[in-house]
Amino acid sequence: MGRGVYLASIIVLLIGVSYALWIILKEQDTENKITSSCISIELENVTEEISLSNAIPLTDEDGMNTTPYTFTIKNTCTTFISYDVIFLVDKESTLGTQYVDAVLDRNVIKTLDQYESREIDGQTGYILQSGNLSQADEITYNLRMWLDEEVTVSDPVFNTSLKGKIRIEAKITNYSPIDQGFNKLADAM
């Protein structure tokens, strides 16, 4: 039995030595480095909040002449971003969104419930606008909201309120205005 163990040990030793003779190991001299770009935006409130206190139904023409809530979005990083402007309705709101007209700048006037909606932390958010910003770009928006002119005395709008805030959701994107046929970024906006 001792001879079998001895012979097996010699075979294993020879295989190990011959394997080591034919194997070469190399490692790189430098470390791999992975970096990521930043994503950062600023939201600057230029004017006071919108108040629908004691609101009465308005025509679209009169609604467009109300004082807007003005805000500016700034891309403070070196990456190209896409963003959504969302009106996030507070849980305490009691006025139905189907009775409130909303418009950013001169876009199409719609009631809030006609905008694409998204559930965010148990609240409903309405996507008012989507866009793109390149490095150090900024854009200013004017949001107007009013009671829709079609509201009647039988609609449940009396002694109600709509509370909410603007939320900006941004992400890094590989959008290229040049790939889309634009020569100037301003034309792509």
Side-chain angles (χ1 to χ4, degrees):
M1 172 120 115
R3 194 170 196 204
V5 171
Y6 177 73
L7 185 57
S9 297
I10 291 177
I11 291 173
V12 168
L13 183 61
L14 287 175
I15 290 174
V17 169
S18 63
Y19 178 76
L21 289 176
W22 290 302
I23 297 295
I24 298 174
L25 296 175
K26 294 276 185 176
E27 291 183 6
Q28 71 185 74
D29 296 332
T30 59
E31 294 179 348
N32 292 325
K33 184 185 254 186
I34 298 174
T35 59
S36 63
S37 301
C38 78
I39 180 168
S40 178
I41 59 171
E42 289 180 5
L43 176 62
E44 180 180 303
N45 301 317
V46 179
T47 60
E48 295 298 316
E49 63 188 34
I50 290 178
S51 173
L52 294 181
S53 302
N54 301 316
I56 59 170
L58 298 175
T59 64
D60 290 347
E61 182 179 342
D62 289 338
M64 290 301 291
N65 289 322
T66 60
T67 302
Y69 170 69
T70 303
F71 59 96
T72 300
I73 306 167
K74 296 179 184 178
N75 180 0
T76 59
C77 281
T78 59
T79 54
F80 200 85
I81 63 166
S82 63
Y83 64 87
D84 291 330
V85 175
I86 299 170
F87 183 77
L88 191 60
V89 178
D90 191 278
K91 291 178 186 177
E92 295 177 13
S93 291
T94 54
L95 177 60
T97 55
Q98 70 271 26
Y99 303 116
V100 179
D101 284 336
V103 65
L104 271 182
D105 295 314
R106 297 284 175 191
N107 290 338
V108 175
I109 299 168
K110 301 190 246 183
T111 56
L112 268 176
D113 69 326
Q114 292 176 322
Y115 287 93
E116 179 185 341
S117 65
R118 177 184 306 166
E119 195 71 21
I120 302 169
D121 300 328
Q123 295 173 275
T124 303
Y126 295 94
I127 302 170
L128 304 176
Q129 180 77 35
S130 296
N132 300 294
L133 290 174
S134 68
Q135 174 183 349
D137 272 351
E138 65 181 57
I139 189 165
T140 298
Y141 286 109
N142 296 294
L143 173 62
R144 289 176 173 83
M145 299 174 89
W146 63 90
L147 280 181
D148 186 77
E149 67 182 308
E150 300 297 321
V151 170
T152 66
V153 292
S154 62
D155 290 324
V157 297
F158 298 102
N159 297 316
T160 60
S161 67
L162 178 70
K163 297 178 183 178
K165 61 184 174 184
I166 292 294
R167 176 183 172 121
I168 307 300
E169 292 186 359
K171 62 183 176 183
I172 295 174
T173 184
N174 58 1
Y175 172 82
S176 169
I178 294 171
D179 292 345
Q180 301 298 319
F182 299 105
N183 292 325
K184 294 180 183 176
L185 184 59
D187 295 336
M189 301 305 242

